[in-house]
Amino acid sequence: MLTQGFIASVLGTTKEPGNSIARDTGIFVYDLQPLTALRSNVKKSSTNPNSITVSGTHVFAAQADKAIVHVYGRDRLNQETLIPFPEHISCLVYSGGHNSGGFLVLGTAGGRVIVWEPCTGRQVSTPPSHLQSVTCLAVDPTSNFVLSGSLDSHIHVWLLPSILSFSQSASDDPDQPTRNAPFKTLSSHRAAITQIVVGHGIGRASIAVSASQDSSCIVWDYQSGSLLHTFLLPSAPLCLAIDPADRAFYAGYEDGSVQLVDLYKTKSLAHPIYDQAQRLVPTQPSSADRWGLPSESTASTLCLAVTYDGTAVLSGHRNGKVEQWDVAKGRYGANVADLSSPVTNLLVLQPTGFSHSVVPTLRLQKVLKPHYEGLFNSNADTMAGSSGVPAHHIVSAQFSSSLPLSTIPDLQHLDFNSAQAHTSFPSSLLEEGVAILAACSTSKSYSKRNRSSSDGLTDSSGEDGPVRTQSDIANLRAALSHARTIQAATTERMLGLQHEMMRFKALERQKATAKKQRRLRKLKAEEIKRRNVVEDDASGVHHELQDHSEFEKEDLSSDTNELTQSD
């Protein structure tokens, strides 16, 4: 049976009389399907909008008005650690899905974007490209692009592989853009950006929707930086959520209502979003697609989330209520929870219970705190994250399933996966490494002697010339002999591996034959046992019939004797 839940976080810890919610509770985990029920909660947490994200193993929550991120384990929802930062974290988002260590992207109040790798502790910071605080972040499905929105009304598109690259800066020319400069800048809004959501498509079907306090929502092709369509809303949207199939998006308003914006509800014969004729013509959504709450006590909609199948929308409100909306009927559905504090974040979790669920190969067991050396270095290149490969780069993770080995028999004992799955360092790998080190040392000594001999040469021909030539020939012969030795050892190793593989296959065939013979003997023994039981049953029946016939004969003889005596 499929089960689905969601995570809700609140701002502040105010408690109303008669409410069962604990005073210090800040994060709630609910079961949504098949029945709505509170599963667990976390105390001592207070988050602003766009300040909580979830990975496959952990929950990250940036605290309101503090430069601290709380890290919780998803298994028991216990607080594992506190991560301090030199700047206040205004928003964050997780990149990498649920099947890897992934990265945490954080936006700061100073306009920076920080990328932190929890499994290594590596941290890379971009320059303060935004003039004001970063309000929202979004990551595309491929984890290659990061979109950041700010109070300065601009949206920057970042290339995540470029930010995480270990390569040095190509040039110190001030005219050349820095390596961590934004890939694209989207600047069609005229007020602060409140929310950015990215569609689920990739390639040419990748879109993003941004909401601004200028009462507009814009659909972007963020890879090319082009504006696709503009929607003019009746009021400023505070939050957004997109349909799982990218058919529509939803906007939350200050009065507590939810607006449905259908991306395909146009009269255009072409694709509604990519129609060149409709690109510069703004669209106003229908008032019939604006869903209002049934009660008069309305409160601002601070966050939205869409269920996995897209049939329902969850909304969090300033009065602490979590409401559910029916998409098919286009109206209010039911109240899900009452948390008594402003609900600032809603995250719908992936459903569980599929018959063919994918088990993640890599699982993050321990979160390593970020390294702050780069942030406090006065070098601009270090601040931009352009340092090379660190001297100590440790990865802390756990393989949760068997590693995929090569299907080619000749490569099963030679590839990197086999070395990883081995209980220790394989002998073949050690022998190969020793041979490479020996060859390197020989070549270095030869080049050093050759360089010293070439530096000592003069224009005059002396008696040392032939001696140096004979020495060079001897060194070359020694290197050639060593290379032949390595080649012979490698060939012998390969032949040994082939012989070992043939022996292993023969042993497997013997095991299969023996198993088949044991099964045949077992079946034969069961057949003999069954026949013996049948024969025993038949013999018993035969003896009973004989006894019965003898008994009848005795009764008949006794009756005859009695008749004779009576006569």
Side-chain angles (χ1 to χ4, degrees):
M1 181 176 61
L2 291 179
T3 59
Q4 188 178 18
F6 68 92
I7 294 179
S9 67
V10 299
L11 175 63
T13 56
T14 58
K15 180 182 178 182
E16 296 181 358
N19 196 300
S20 59
I21 303 299
R23 179 178 179 81
D24 294 336
T25 306
I27 299 177
F28 305 83
V29 180
Y30 273 86
D31 287 329
L32 184 60
Q33 296 292 340
L35 296 175
T36 303
L38 178 63
R39 188 193 309 170
S40 57
N41 54 48
V42 175
K43 295 184 178 181
K44 297 181 180 180
S45 179
S46 177
T47 56
N48 287 319
N50 307 319
S51 297
I52 188 171
T53 186
V54 179
S55 69
T57 55
H58 292 84
V59 178
F60 303 90
Q63 300 304 298
D65 302 327
K66 295 180 181 179
I68 296 177
V69 174
H70 289 186
V71 181
Y72 307 94
R74 285 191 59 179
D75 294 336
R76 294 178 296 177
L77 209 65
N78 59 323
Q79 182 174 322
E80 292 188 358
T81 183
L82 300 176
I83 309 296
F85 285 88
E87 293 184 72
H88 174 245
I89 303 300
S90 56
C91 54
L92 52 82
V93 66
Y94 183 77
S95 170
H98 299 273
N99 298 328
S100 63
F103 302 92
L104 195 68
V105 185
L106 309 100
T108 68
R112 298 180 185 273
V113 174
I114 300 175
V115 181
W116 166 39
E117 189 176 12
C119 63
T120 63
R122 183 183 176 222
Q123 179 182 259
V124 181
S125 175
T126 67
S129 300
H130 287 290
L131 301 179
Q132 293 178 275
S133 174
V134 181
T135 57
C136 53
L137 292 166
V139 181
D140 79 318
T142 62
S143 297
N144 290 327
F145 296 90
V146 177
L147 283 75
S148 61
S150 173
L151 294 175
D152 60 6
S153 74
H154 293 298
I155 300 173
H156 290 327
V157 182
W158 307 86
L159 284 176
L160 191 57
S162 176
I163 296 177
L164 297 172
S165 176
F166 286 113
S167 62
Q168 298 287 340
S169 297
S171 174
D172 295 333
D173 187 0
D175 296 333
Q176 296 292 333
T178 60
R179 184 174 58 87
N180 284 348
F183 173 66
K184 298 288 183 182
T185 299
L186 314 178
S187 56
S188 295
H189 286 292
R190 296 294 179 265
I193 308 298
T194 57
Q195 184 77 59
I196 301 174
V197 291
V198 178
H200 304 83
I202 59 177
R204 298 182 60 185
S206 56
I207 61 171
V209 184
S210 61
S212 174
Q213 291 182 357
D214 59 4
S215 301
S216 68
C217 287
I218 299 179
V219 182
W220 305 90
D221 181 359
Y222 57 88
Q223 295 188 12
S224 63
S226 59
L227 186 150
L228 299 180
H229 200 76
T230 303
F231 293 92
L232 301 180
L233 305 181
S235 62
L238 302 181
C239 52
L240 289 178
I242 194 166
D243 181 76
D246 298 346
R247 301 167 298 182
F249 66 89
Y250 307 89
Y253 294 133
E254 184 72 27
D255 60 356
S257 60
V258 175
Q259 176 77 58
L260 166 65
V261 181
D262 192 346
L263 299 179
Y264 291 85
K265 196 175 182 180
T266 61
K267 298 180 181 180
S268 174
L269 297 178
H271 194 288
I273 299 300
Y274 297 95
D275 189 2
Q276 296 289 340
Q278 301 292 329
R279 179 167 296 186
L280 300 178
V281 180
T283 302
Q284 289 184 340
S286 173
S287 59
D289 293 333
R290 186 173 181 177
W291 309 332
L293 292 170
S295 61
E296 296 181 356
S297 59
T298 58
S300 303
T301 305
L302 301 181
C303 54
L304 292 173
V306 185
T307 57
Y308 179 77
D309 55 1
T311 59
V313 177
L314 300 178
S315 61
H317 298 266
R318 193 177 296 277
N319 58 2
K321 295 184 182 295
V322 179
E323 310 290 356
Q324 182 175 352
W325 307 81
D326 192 332
V327 175
K329 297 180 180 179
R331 63 184 184 184
Y332 171 77
N335 176 263
V336 177
D338 188 0
L339 307 182
S340 301
S341 298
V343 182
T344 53
N345 295 274
L346 286 174
L347 298 175
V348 175
L349 303 176
Q350 292 289 334
T352 58
F354 290 105
S355 58
H356 302 286
S357 59
V358 179
V359 179
T361 304
L362 192 65
R363 183 176 177 85
L364 180 63
Q365 291 295 111
K366 181 182 179 181
V367 173
L368 298 182
K369 293 185 177 181
H371 308 308
Y372 301 108
E373 293 84 2
L375 289 179
F376 296 105
N377 196 329
S378 60
N379 189 359
D381 290 339
T382 306
M383 290 291 290
S386 60
S387 59
V389 179
H392 303 284
H393 194 63
I394 302 174
V395 179
S396 174
Q398 178 183 3
F399 293 107
S400 57
S401 61
S402 300
L403 295 177
L405 297 179
S406 176
T407 57
I408 304 176
D410 295 338
L411 298 179
Q412 289 183 354
H413 298 276
L414 301 177
D415 62 346
F416 181 71
N417 290 331
S418 178
Q420 278 188 319
H422 204 277
T423 56
S424 61
F425 286 103
S427 58
S428 60
L429 187 63
L430 293 175
E431 292 175 0
E432 183 181 357
V434 171
I436 292 174
L437 289 176
C440 291
S441 61
T442 304
S443 62
K444 286 182 180 179
S445 61
Y446 167 70
S447 61
K448 184 176 181 181
R449 287 194 297 269
N450 191 17
R451 190 181 303 109
S452 61
S453 61
S454 62
D455 293 339
L457 290 177
T458 59
D459 295 336
S460 61
S461 60
E463 296 179 356
D464 294 340
V467 176
R468 291 192 183 95
T469 305
Q470 293 296 332
S471 176
D472 293 342
I473 294 174
N475 290 333
L476 288 174
R477 287 179 178 176
L480 179 61
S481 177
H482 190 72
R484 288 177 177 175
T485 303
I486 295 175
Q487 182 180 6
T490 306
T491 305
E492 183 180 358
R493 182 60 181 170
M494 291 179 62
L495 293 176
L497 290 175
Q498 292 179 359
H499 178 71
E500 189 72 18
M501 179 58 65
M502 293 175 61
R503 189 181 66 83
F504 177 75
K505 289 182 178 180
L507 184 61
E508 290 292 330
R509 287 195 296 269
Q510 291 178 2
K511 288 182 179 180
T513 304
K515 184 177 180 180
K516 184 177 180 181
Q517 291 178 355
R518 288 196 300 269
R519 185 177 180 184
L520 291 176
R521 286 197 298 268
K522 184 178 179 180
L523 293 175
K524 188 175 181 180
E526 292 179 353
E527 181 66 20
I528 293 174
K529 184 177 180 180
R530 185 181 64 81
R531 289 182 179 178
N532 292 336
V533 171
V534 172
E535 290 178 357
D536 293 341
D537 293 342
S539 176
V541 172
H542 179 68
H543 289 309
E544 289 180 0
L545 292 175
Q546 287 182 352
D547 294 341
H548 184 68
S549 61
E550 290 178 358
F551 180 74
E552 289 182 350
K553 289 181 181 179
E554 291 178 358
D555 291 343
L556 182 60
S557 61
S558 61
D559 293 340
T560 305
N561 293 334
E562 290 178 359
L563 290 174
T564 305
Q565 292 176 2
S566 63
D567 293 339

